[in-house]
Amino acid sequence: MAITIKDVAKLANVAPSTVSRVIADNPRISQKTKERVRKAMKELGYHPNVIARSLASQSTKVLGLVMPGSADVTFQNPFFPNVLRGLSESAHEKNYALQMTTGKTDDEIYQDVIQMVHGRRVDGLVLLNSKVDDKIIKFLRSQNFPFIIIGKPYKYEAEISYVDNDNFRAAKEVTEYLLSLNHKRIAFIGGNRDLVLTIDRILGYEKALREAGLEFRDSYIVHAEFLEQGGREAMDELLRLDEPPTALVVTDDLMTLGVLHMLDEMGISVAKQMSIVSFNNVYLAQMTQPPLTSVDINIFSLGYEAAKNLILKIENPKEPIKRIIIPHQLVIRSSCEKLERK
Amino acid sequence: MAITIKDVAKLANVAPSTVSRVIADNPRISQKTKERVRKAMKELGYHPNVIARSLASQSTKVLGLVMPGSADVTFQNPFFPNVLRGLSESAHEKNYALQMTTGKTDDEIYQDVIQMVHGRRVDGLVLLNSKVDDKIIKFLRSQNFPFIIIGKPYKYEAEISYVDNDNFRAAKEVTEYLLSLNHKRIAFIGGNRDLVLTIDRILGYEKALREAGLEFRDSYIVHAEFLEQGGREAMDELLRLDEPPTALVVTDDLMTLGVLHMLDEMGISVAKQMSIVSFNNVYLAQMTQPPLTSVDINIFSLGYEAAKNLILKIENPKEPIKRIIIPHQLVIRSSCEKLERK
DNA sequence: TTGTACGCGTTATCAA
DNA sequence: TTGATAACGCGTACAA
C-alpha cells in the first residue's frame, strides 16, 4: 500500500489529524510542527489520497462535462476542442479535474448524468449539449445540483445560470453588415430550428431586415441539419427561387464549409456572386477559399467563464443565478463583396 | 445526507453487508433476499456512492486521458474529437468514466499525471500526446502503473503497450500510389521531425522511392510545425527548386488545408499542377476543393482499442504487453492526377 | 445463506 | 496548539 497520512504522522511524531491540518495549511498549527510534518512528507514521498479525501469532505473537486452524444455530429465540431480549452484552463486554475459523459445517445447521457450526481462523482456539471435536454435539467433542478449551461436554456431562463453570446445582436449586426454592402436578398442558413441559438439568430436577422424596411421571407430560411445531403437540397431550392439571394448568413463555420463546397460544384463564385457571413471563427475560417468573414464568438471564453462560475457556485451555494454574456466580434475577411446597385 | 446502504439494509431487514453483496450480485445470496433488497433500493431511490466504493475497493473505474497541452495546436486537430469518440464508446461499454488532464504546458501536464496516479484518482492512463513525453513514461513505469499509448513510443517499444497504425506501410503505399500516377518528383510535408509518427512515414516514403529506383532528396522533405507561417516559407522553397515537385505527401489533413490555401494564393492548381495525398481523412477532407485523397487511419478505432486494452490490463495485471496495429486505407478523391509522361 | 466487525485514508468534532 | 475519536459509505474476511 501507498504511504498514508498515518505513516507521515508516525515519522513526524504527531497525530494523523495534525498532518491533515498541515495539508490544509490550518493556521492553528505552529510553524515548527508544520515544517517537521512537511519534511516527513517529503521524506516519505507522501501524496494525499484524493478518494479518501473526497469521501471525508464530501466534495470531489471534479467537474462533470455533459457532452453531446459521441455519435452526434456536433461532437465533431471544432467548437469542442475550443470550449474544452477554456474549461480546462479555468478548472486547472482552481484545481478541479474534468470528467466527461461517455454516452452515445441522449438516453445514455441521461444515465451518465444520474450516475455522476447520485454517485457523488462530481461537484457540479457543465452542460455542453446544445440540444437542451429537458430531462437532464429537470433532474438537476430537482436534486438542487449545481450546474451551468453553455448556451441559453429554452426554459426557466431566469432560474438557471448560463454562459452565452448575445446571439440576437450578433445576427443583427451581421445582417446589417450585409445590408451595408447593398445586399437586399439575404438568406439565412441555420442548424436545428429547435435550438435557442438558432432562434435567437433568426430573430436578430429578422430584426435587421425589418429595420431596413425589407420583408422577411420564409423561403429564405433554411435549416440544414448539417452539411452535405440536406444542405445541398436546401441550397438548390434557394437558388431556384425567382429572386435568389445574393448573400448568406450561415450559423456555423463547418456548415459554411459545406456551403462553399456546394457553391463550388454549382459553379457559383463566393463573394463575387454570393456573399457569406459565417459564425464561430474557428481556425479553418481563415483557411478556406476565400477566407471567411465570420463572427468570433470567443469560444474559449464561453468555456472559461462557465467553469469559473460553476466553481464559484459550488464553493458558495448562495451564489446567485447568473447569466453571462460573452462579447463577439465580426472578423472581416474575403467572403463578402459590395453589391453594385442595379 | 443521501440514502446509504444502511438505510436499505434497515428497510429490507438485512445487514449492510448483504446489501453490498446484492449490489455485486453475489451468487451466495438467496434469490428471495435479493429481491427484497432490490425492492428496498427502488423504494428509497438508492444509488451507491462511487467514492466510498472506490475507497473500499481500491479501484476507481476511471481512466485518465493525458491530453496534449490545451495550448498546443494539436489540441485543435479534429483528430481529437475522433479519438475521444472511440475512447468514450469503449469506456462506456465497460462502465469506466473518463477524466482528462487540464494542464497547458508539458510541465503542468506532468503534474496532472502525478496527481492522478498518486492521488489514486484513476485506474489507468491513455497517453494521447504525440510528443512522447519521456518524463511521464518514466514515471509511470517506475510506479508500475497501467497505461497505454496512442501512437508509438520512441523508446522501450517492446515494453510498452500501444495502439498505432502501420505508418511505414501507409506512407509507402501512398507514395507508390503517386508513383503509379507517373509522379517522380514527390515531396514530403510532415510535422515535427521528432515524432515517431513523422519518422515512420518518412521511412515508408523513402522506401517506396528507393524501390522505384528514385533518389531520395533532402530538399524534398519539409517539416512544417503547422500550417501558415512556417508552412508558407517551406512551400516557397519547395517551389523555387530547380526541379520542383509535382506531387506532395502531407501527413495531416489540417496541414493540407494550409497547403491548399498557399497553393491557391500562388495560383497553383491542385491535382492539375500539384497532386496531393493527405493523412487522417477527417470530415473536412471531403469538403475541400478539390476533395482530398487521404489515408483513413481509423481514428475511432485507435481510441476504441486503446481504452479496451487498457481496461483489460487494469482488470488483469498479468495481461501481456501489447502492440495493436489499426488498419488504414487510402480513400481516393480528387486531389491527384496522372502526370503525362514527357 | 447471512451477519459481525474491521479497514480503506481522510476530515472534523471535541477535548485536553 | 495538538490529540483522540468518530464519521464518510462501502467491501470483505471471518464467523455463525
Side-chain angles (χ1 to χ4, degrees), chain B residues 253 256-257 260 270 276 278 281 284-288 290-294 331-335:
Chain B
D253 288 335
T256 304
L257 204 62
L260 252 40
V270 175
I276 299 181
S278 183
N281 193 33
L284 56 76
Q286 51 191 302
M287 302 270 84
T288 55
L292 300 177
T293 289
S294 185
V331 176
I332 296 182
R333 296 207 183 83
S334 327
S335 58

Side-chain angles (χ1 to χ4, degrees), chain A residues 216-228:
Chain A
F216 170 86
R217 331 186 189 189
D218 266 344
S219 55
Y220 274 8
I221 306 292
V222 169
H223 293 278
E225 205 43 84
F226 224 61
L227 3 130
E228 291 305 82

Side-chain angles (χ1 to χ4, degrees), chain A residues 47-48 50, chain B residues 110-121:
Chain A
H47 285 267
V50 187
Chain B
Y110 181 60
Q111 295 304 330
D112 285 350
V113 169
I114 292 191
Q115 286 305 322
M116 283 183 157
V117 173
H118 275 149
R120 295 267 175 282
R121 257 187 203 279

Side-chain angles (χ1 to χ4, degrees), chain A residues 164-223:
Chain A
D164 198 6
N165 301 103
D166 186 340
N167 284 302
F168 174 86
R169 258 195 58 208
K172 182 159 175 281
E173 287 170 14
V174 150
T175 312
E176 284 165 351
Y177 170 69
L178 287 171
L179 289 167
S180 79
L181 295 179
N182 294 337
H183 290 279
K184 302 219 178 315
R185 304 205 306 252
I186 305 172
F188 179 98
I189 303 187
N192 192 313
R193 76 185 69 211
D194 299 331
L195 296 183
V196 183
L197 177 103
T198 308
I199 298 169
D200 280 359
R201 290 187 183 162
I202 288 191
L203 290 176
Y205 155 84
E206 193 182 344
K207 175 83 168 180
L209 291 187
R210 199 160 290 162
E211 284 186 6
L214 294 173
E215 58 164 335
F216 170 86
R217 331 186 189 189
D218 266 344
S219 55
Y220 274 8
I221 306 292
V222 169
H223 293 278

Side-chain angles (χ1 to χ4, degrees), chain B residues 15 17-18 21 29-30 33 55:
Chain B
S17 52
T18 304
R21 290 186 183 109
I29 297 286
S30 77
T33 44
L55 184 59

Side-chain angles (χ1 to χ4, degrees), chain A residues 270-320:
Chain A
V270 175
K272 237 186 256 311
Q273 301 175 52
M274 183 69 80
S275 287
I276 300 182
V277 182
S278 184
F279 272 87
N280 287 15
N281 193 33
V282 295
Y283 60 87
L284 56 75
Q286 52 191 302
M287 301 270 83
T288 55
Q289 295 137 50
L292 299 179
T293 290
S294 184
V295 179
D296 191 324
I297 60 170
N298 270 303
I299 304 179
F300 177 89
S301 297
L302 286 169
Y304 187 88
E305 291 299 324
K308 181 177 147 197
N309 285 281
L310 176 57
I311 293 174
L312 235 48
K313 187 147 85 181
I314 289 170
E315 300 188 341
N316 177 10
K318 294 174 291 188
E319 196 73 16

Side-chain angles (χ1 to χ4, degrees), chain B residues 189-220:
Chain B
I189 303 187
N192 192 314
R193 76 186 69 211
D194 299 331
L195 297 184
V196 183
L197 178 102
T198 308
I199 298 168
D200 279 0
R201 290 187 182 162
I202 288 191
L203 290 176
Y205 155 84
E206 191 182 345
K207 174 82 166 180
L209 292 187
R210 199 159 288 160
E211 284 186 6
L214 294 173
E215 59 164 335
F216 170 87
R217 332 185 188 188
D218 266 344
S219 55
Y220 274 9

Side-chain angles (χ1 to χ4, degrees), chain A residues 23-178:
Chain A
I23 294 171
D25 203 22
N26 188 314
R28 310 189 308 188
I29 297 287
S30 75
Q31 210 52 37
K32 251 191 222 161
T33 44
K34 267 190 189 172
E35 275 160 28
R36 192 148 41 90
V37 170
R38 289 206 177 106
K39 195 172 141 242
M41 301 200 306
K42 284 263 150 62
E43 248 182 80
L44 296 175
Y46 166 79
H47 285 267
N49 182 316
V50 187
I51 302 293
R53 177 183 288 196
S54 293
L55 183 59
S57 65
Q58 302 286 56
S59 107
T60 61
K61 290 283 217 165
V62 177
L63 302 185
L65 263 33
V66 182
M67 314 279 281
S70 57
D72 197 316
V73 271
T74 62
F75 198 86
Q76 306 261 6
N77 201 303
F79 177 87
F80 263 91
N82 275 301
V83 248
L84 262 188
R85 279 177 50 227
L87 292 163
S88 276
E89 188 151 332
S90 200
H92 195 265
E93 283 173 5
K94 306 282 186 184
N95 282 310
Y96 273 72
L98 254 31
Q99 189 161 336
M100 34 190 250
T101 54
T102 57
K104 238 188 337 191
T105 66
D106 282 353
D107 205 59
E108 282 181 6
I109 293 175
Y110 181 59
Q111 296 303 329
D112 285 350
V113 169
I114 292 191
Q115 286 304 322
M116 283 182 158
V117 173
H118 275 148
R120 296 267 174 279
R121 258 188 203 277
V122 299
D123 291 343
L125 287 175
V126 181
L127 304 198
L128 293 169
N129 49 343
S130 47
K131 282 198 216 154
V132 201
D133 200 313
D134 195 23
K135 261 166 69 187
I136 294 182
I137 292 182
K138 222 173 187 166
F139 170 71
L140 294 176
R141 280 166 57 84
S142 80
Q143 299 287 319
N144 201 5
F145 195 82
F147 71 104
I148 195 164
I149 298 184
I150 292 189
K152 189 152 78 178
Y154 82 118
K155 222 172 154 183
Y156 309 118
E157 197 193 314
E159 304 163 46
I160 295 177
S161 287
Y162 65 88
V163 183
D164 198 6
N165 301 103
D166 186 340
N167 284 302
F168 174 86
R169 258 195 58 208
K172 182 159 175 281
E173 287 170 14
V174 150
T175 312
E176 284 165 351
Y177 170 69
L178 287 171

